């Protein structure tokens, strides 16, 4: 037991007074009868007064400390954790007062923390509710979840937690039991829940459920729910758009199949029905020229030559049209392609035409390799070079320049010439079939 100096001094004085009193009493009995009783009586009175004063002082000191302790504990019990017990002593009462003051300070800090958490829960965007695991009754619901489900403040308290679940393949009670069982077994559950408001409106939430021991309600589940109705609507819209898109793709595919079928039929017609009379016209004209050229005048010879030339040109148009039709139906295979080799082959194919037109073709050296289809690229550049040779300015030999620009993962090939050019309003039409501008 810890005893301070003041207490030791008081106890020592009291013990000394007691010894003096005993000594006086012994002296009275041992001395002769002629003792001065007035002196002895005075000494006894003085000793008694000193003892009484010391006892009174000690009693008041202890009483005051006990009064402060009683007052402090009453304040703490009434919730006044800011009150402090004022006992200025180093004895057990002072130690007790210090401990009580520290306990009140710790409780005050805990109370502030709980108040902050309560405010956060009250004003958070998510809905929160607690439910006892024993009977699945809701014991707490924050304002957000009451607003989310359309209930008045406090109306959810005491209700079975299944009141928030919408009927699905399971009834609401089965859904609530399944979620709570999963949370109890695993300590945590998370997932999407189909909910129902007080007015019967159905909506979706994503929920998180965990378990902890509440000081007042025992084992409870804490559920945090977030309304995901907008996200669900967006997902449904995307699903519907995908269905519509799939339907449109199917319809478009059917249309393309029909167009391809028509194109195949047209190609067959061109290949057989148009070429047969064209071959006859060209063949008969050549026979007449071969057999009867000497008998024809100059105008007739020119007419038959023109018939043969036009027939050959028409036959070339038919060949080009068939090649174009086959191109649309063939799968395009890609591989590394050397642009230097593509332009070398293209110029070789047009060598006679280049000589005839006295054209000059300047191709930039060391063109890069690209990733594409060799035959298609060859056809594109042959067509561009041939157009530059055909559509020249009068009496001006064609000057053709081929350059390229590289940027990122793209290569742009530029074919420029000094020909008649194409007006800007026709740029969108130059790649159409049977378009002559």
């Amino acid at each position: 037991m810890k005893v301070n100096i003041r207490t030791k001094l008081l106890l020592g004085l009291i013990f000394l007074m007691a010894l003096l009193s005993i000594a006086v009493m012994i002296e009275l009995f041992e001395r002769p009868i002629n003792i001065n009783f007035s002196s002895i009586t005075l000494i006894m009175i003085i000793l008694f007064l000193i003892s009484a004063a010391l006892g009174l002082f000690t009693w008041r000191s202890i009483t005051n400390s006990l009064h402060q302790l009683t007052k402090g504990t009453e304040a703490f019990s009434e919730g006044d954790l800011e009150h402090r017990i004022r006992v200025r002593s180093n004895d057990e009462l002072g130690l007790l007062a210090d401990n009580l003051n520290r306990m009140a300070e710790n409780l005050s800090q805990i109370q502030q923390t709980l108040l902050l958490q309560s405010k956060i829960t009250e004003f958070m965007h998510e809905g929160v509710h607690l439910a006892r695991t024993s009977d699945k009754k809701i014991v707490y619901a924050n304002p957000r979840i009451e607003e989310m489900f359309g209930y008045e403040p406090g109306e959810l308290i005491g209700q079975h937690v299944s009141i928030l679940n919408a009927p699905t393949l399971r009834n609401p009670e089965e859904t609530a039991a399944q979620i709570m069982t999963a949370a109890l077994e695993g300590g945590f559950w998370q997932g999407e829940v189909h909910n129902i408001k007080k007015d019967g409106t159905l909506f979706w939430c994503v929920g998180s459920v965990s378990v902890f021991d509440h000081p007042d309600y025992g084992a409870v589940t804490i559920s945090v729910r977030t309304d995901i109705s907008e996200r669900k609507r967006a997902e449904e819209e995307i699903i519907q758009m995908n269905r519509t898109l799939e339907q449109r793709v199917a319809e478009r595919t059917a249309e393309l199949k029909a167009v391809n079928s028509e194109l195949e039929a047209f190609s067959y017609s061109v290949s057989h029905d148009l070429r047969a009379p064209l071959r006859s016209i060209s063949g008969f004209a050549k026979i007449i020229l071969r057999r009867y050229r000497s008998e024809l005048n100059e105008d007739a010879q020119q007419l038959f030559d023109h018939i043969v030339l036009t027939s050959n040109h028409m036959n070339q148009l038919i060949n080009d049209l068939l090649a174009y039709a086959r191109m649309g139906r063939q799968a395009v295979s890609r591989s590394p392609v050397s642009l230097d080799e593509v332009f070398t082959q293209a110029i070789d194919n047009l060598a006679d035409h280049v000589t005839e037109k006295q054209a000059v073709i300047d191709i930039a050296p060391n063109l890069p390799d690209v990733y594409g289809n060799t035959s298609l690229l060859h056809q594109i550049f042959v067509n561009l070079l041939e157009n530059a040779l055909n559509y020249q300015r009068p009496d001006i030999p064609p000057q053709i320049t081929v350059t390229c620009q590289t940027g990122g993962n793209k290569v742009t090939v530029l074919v420029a010439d000094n020909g008649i050019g194409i007006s800007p309003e026709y740029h969108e039409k130059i790649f159409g079939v049977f378009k002559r501008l």
Side-chain angles (χ1 to χ4, degrees):
M1 178 182 294
K2 182 179 179 180
V3 182
N4 63 5
I5 298 175
R6 184 185 65 179
T7 304
K8 291 179 179 179
L9 180 59
L10 291 175
L11 293 175
L13 289 174
I14 293 172
F15 181 70
L16 180 59
M17 293 299 104
L19 289 177
L20 289 174
S21 300
I22 294 172
V24 170
M25 294 297 296
I26 293 173
E27 189 70 21
L28 288 175
F29 287 105
E30 291 181 352
R31 286 190 178 186
I33 300 300
N34 59 351
I35 296 176
N36 188 349
F37 285 98
S38 60
S39 298
I40 294 174
T41 302
L42 179 60
I43 293 173
M44 291 292 293
I45 292 172
I46 292 173
L47 292 175
F48 175 77
L49 291 175
I50 293 174
S51 300
L54 291 175
L56 179 61
F57 174 76
T58 304
W59 177 80
R60 291 194 61 179
S61 177
I62 296 174
T63 303
N64 182 60
S65 297
L66 291 175
H67 175 72
Q68 291 294 328
L69 288 171
T70 302
K71 184 178 178 181
T73 54
E74 289 177 352
F76 296 157
S77 65
E78 293 174 359
D80 184 10
L81 298 179
E82 299 301 323
H83 180 83
R84 292 296 177 264
I85 301 173
R86 294 178 176 82
V87 175
R88 305 184 185 279
S89 63
N90 295 323
D91 55 7
E92 287 80 0
L93 295 178
L95 181 61
L96 177 60
D98 291 339
N99 290 335
L100 289 174
N101 287 335
R102 281 195 295 270
M103 182 185 69
E105 184 176 354
N106 293 336
L107 289 175
S108 179
Q109 293 177 355
I110 294 173
Q111 187 182 56
Q112 292 298 321
T113 302
L114 292 176
L115 181 61
L116 177 61
Q117 293 175 350
S118 176
K119 288 297 182 183
I120 293 174
T121 304
E122 181 178 353
F123 293 106
M124 66 190 301
H125 181 70
E126 292 79 7
V128 179
H129 68 80
L130 306 182
R132 281 191 299 261
T133 60
S134 58
D135 56 7
K136 300 181 179 61
K137 296 292 183 65
I138 297 174
V139 295
Y140 169 80
N142 74 337
R144 174 56 183 153
I145 202 166
E146 293 171 336
E147 176 187 359
M148 188 186 299
F149 284 84
Y151 287 91
E152 296 296 327
E155 192 174 358
L156 282 173
I157 305 303
Q159 299 286 348
H160 195 277
V161 71
S162 63
I163 195 175
L164 306 177
N165 298 329
T168 56
L169 297 177
R170 303 181 182 86
N171 61 47
E173 290 77 11
E174 290 175 339
T175 301
Q178 182 185 29
I179 292 174
M180 187 169 288
T181 300
L184 288 171
E185 292 177 353
F188 182 78
W189 177 91
Q190 185 176 34
E192 294 182 355
V193 186
H194 205 194
N195 300 303
I196 184 170
K197 296 185 179 182
K198 182 180 178 181
D199 62 4
T201 303
L202 301 178
F203 70 106
W204 282 92
C205 279
V206 59
S208 301
V209 181
S210 55
V211 184
F212 75 101
D213 289 327
H214 193 280
D216 296 328
Y217 307 114
V220 298
T221 57
I222 176 170
S223 301
V224 181
R225 304 196 187 200
T226 304
D227 190 343
I228 58 171
S229 300
E230 292 299 326
R231 192 187 81 187
K232 281 292 185 179
R233 273 194 290 270
E235 290 175 356
E236 185 60 32
E237 289 177 2
I238 292 174
I239 292 173
Q240 186 60 38
M241 289 173 61
N242 288 336
R243 290 173 182 165
T244 304
L245 182 60
E246 290 174 358
Q247 182 179 357
R248 291 175 61 183
V249 169
E251 293 173 355
R252 183 60 177 163
T253 302
E255 292 175 359
L256 291 175
K257 288 182 179 179
V259 170
N260 285 334
S261 298
E262 293 175 1
L263 186 59
E264 289 178 3
F266 176 70
S267 300
Y268 180 84
S269 175
V270 169
S271 179
H272 295 81
D273 298 342
L274 293 183
R275 271 186 168 177
L278 185 62
R279 282 195 297 266
S280 298
I281 293 172
S282 177
F284 287 138
K286 289 179 180 178
I287 291 174
I288 293 173
L289 283 174
R290 186 173 60 253
R291 292 182 179 180
Y292 305 105
R293 177 179 287 276
S294 60
E295 300 178 11
L296 298 174
N297 59 29
E298 185 177 352
D299 290 339
Q301 291 179 10
Q302 290 180 354
L303 290 174
F304 275 103
D305 287 336
H306 185 69
I307 290 173
V308 173
L309 180 63
T310 304
S311 298
N312 291 336
H313 181 64
M314 184 64 184
N315 187 61
Q316 183 61 43
L317 288 177
I318 292 173
N319 289 335
D320 292 343
L321 180 61
L322 291 174
Y324 178 80
R326 286 193 299 269
M327 188 184 304
R329 298 193 300 271
Q330 291 175 350
V332 178
S333 60
R334 297 182 181 182
S335 61
V337 179
S338 170
L339 289 180
D340 285 329
E341 294 181 3
V342 169
F343 277 102
T344 299
Q345 293 175 5
I347 293 175
D348 288 344
N349 292 346
L350 298 172
D352 294 339
H353 204 176
V354 171
T355 303
E356 178 188 351
K357 295 289 185 177
Q358 298 180 349
V360 176
I361 302 177
D362 183 17
I363 299 177
N366 300 321
L367 294 177
D369 294 345
V370 296
Y371 192 71
N373 183 274
T374 303
S375 57
L376 291 180
L377 288 174
H378 178 268
Q379 185 64 47
I380 289 172
F381 293 126
V382 166
N383 291 346
L384 290 174
L385 294 174
E386 191 173 19
N387 285 341
L389 294 171
N390 289 334
Y391 300 104
Q392 67 181 102
R393 295 181 185 276
D395 302 325
I396 299 178
Q399 297 281 338
I400 305 172
T401 303
V402 178
T403 58
C404 75
Q405 298 174 354
T406 303
N409 59 349
K410 293 183 179 180
V411 174
T412 303
V413 179
L414 306 174
V415 179
D417 62 76
N418 61 344
I420 60 176
I422 301 174
S423 299
E425 60 266 25
Y426 298 120
H427 285 178
E428 295 182 359
K429 298 181 180 180
I430 60 177
F431 294 105
V433 181
F434 300 126
K435 295 293 183 180
R436 187 177 182 88
L437 308 177

